[in-house]
Amino acid sequence: MEFSSKLLENAVYEMSQLPGIGKRTALRLVLHLLKRPAEQTVNLSQALLNLKDSIKFCKSCHNISDTDICEICANPKRDKTVVCVVEDVRDVMAIENTGQYKGLYHVLGGKISPMEGIGPQDLNIHSLVGKAKRGEIKELIFALSSTMEGDTTNFYIYKQLEGLEIATSTIARGIAVGDELEYADEVTLGRSILNRIPFEGSLKAN
């Protein structure tokens, strides 16, 4: 792709570093920004800088937050004894949109994947096990995607909880194997949460 301006080329290159954005899409977005009032571009830039500089991660569940403890964890109406284990913040948003879940979350920050060099020590598993050992959790819901990495992560955490009086369940397989939660429709995801099954049962099913 040939550019008539080095400034344009640099802007397109940086835009194309975003996931799902190719060079042509990046060019279209950059040209769109050029046509808009300068104030809009400044506002966008400032919002991104503020996000990068000021965003926090909840000290309890590791969700993205404006404060040390996120609004979900701080909400007295949430059931603090039920914790839903998810891969990242997009899954929290997807489940919250269903309006069917009233417990708390624990964001792992990924899944165990030896092929990608991601082990248990790279995820927020230690703090989850700590909560369990302190008796803060009565039920743990595994809501990772139905992939080999997701199942491996579920099983690893399950083994870490052996000997503790905690009910473990997994979302019903209304979510197709291999699907990511963020792409599931709200009705299907909501039913999967409500119709969750004991984790031991999912092991036998596999």
Side-chain angles (χ1 to χ4, degrees):
M1 185 179 291
E2 296 294 328
F3 295 90
S4 58
S5 163
K6 194 66 176 177
L7 294 174
L8 176 63
E9 181 178 359
N10 290 341
V12 169
Y13 171 77
E14 294 299 336
M15 189 73 77
S16 67
Q17 300 307 297
L18 297 173
I21 304 294
K23 284 288 183 67
R24 293 186 183 279
T25 300
L27 176 59
R28 187 165 63 251
L29 292 172
V30 169
L31 292 177
H32 172 76
L33 289 173
L34 276 176
K35 294 177 183 178
R36 307 305 298 168
E39 182 182 359
Q40 290 188 7
T41 303
V42 171
N43 290 342
L44 173 61
S45 301
Q46 192 59 54
L48 293 174
L49 287 173
N50 290 341
L51 175 70
K52 189 67 175 177
D53 293 340
S54 304
I55 201 70
K56 298 177 182 293
F57 290 91
C58 177
K59 291 183 177 180
S60 179
C61 73
H62 307 287
N63 189 17
I64 284 179
S65 175
D66 293 339
T67 55
D68 288 338
I69 300 297
C70 72
E71 291 183 358
I72 296 175
C73 288
N75 188 344
K77 294 183 179 180
R78 308 291 294 220
D79 185 348
K80 300 184 183 302
T81 66
V82 180
V83 174
C84 184
V85 181
V86 297
E87 180 181 349
D88 60 35
V89 297
R90 293 172 298 181
D91 300 328
V92 173
M93 296 169 68
I95 295 174
E96 282 296 286
N97 285 338
T98 70
Q100 301 293 324
Y101 178 67
K102 302 304 179 185
L104 300 184
Y105 296 91
H106 189 89
V107 181
L108 294 178
K111 294 174 290 192
I112 296 174
S113 177
M115 293 292 290
E116 297 179 11
I118 301 174
Q121 71 280 358
D122 301 309
L123 306 177
N124 298 319
I125 294 178
H126 180 74
S127 57
L128 174 63
V129 175
K131 291 179 190 176
K133 289 183 177 179
R134 290 193 297 271
E136 299 175 14
I137 304 172
K138 290 184 179 179
E139 181 185 1
L140 204 64
I141 304 171
F142 295 114
L144 302 183
S145 56
S146 304
T147 60
M148 182 178 295
E149 292 81 6
D151 290 343
T152 298
T153 307
N154 287 341
F155 186 69
Y156 178 85
I157 296 173
Y158 173 73
K159 296 298 288 184
Q160 299 301 304
L161 302 177
E162 280 188 334
L164 301 178
E165 294 184 2
I166 296 176
T168 53
S169 59
T170 183
I171 57 175
R173 296 301 192 183
I175 308 299
V177 174
D179 278 1
E180 300 291 344
L181 292 191
E182 63 175 306
Y183 299 121
D185 67 271
E186 293 176 7
V187 174
T188 300
L189 183 54
R191 288 174 177 170
S192 294
I193 290 288
L194 292 177
N195 299 325
R196 56 187 182 272
I197 60 176
F199 183 68
E200 292 86 346
S202 71
L203 292 176
K204 295 175 182 177
N206 292 334

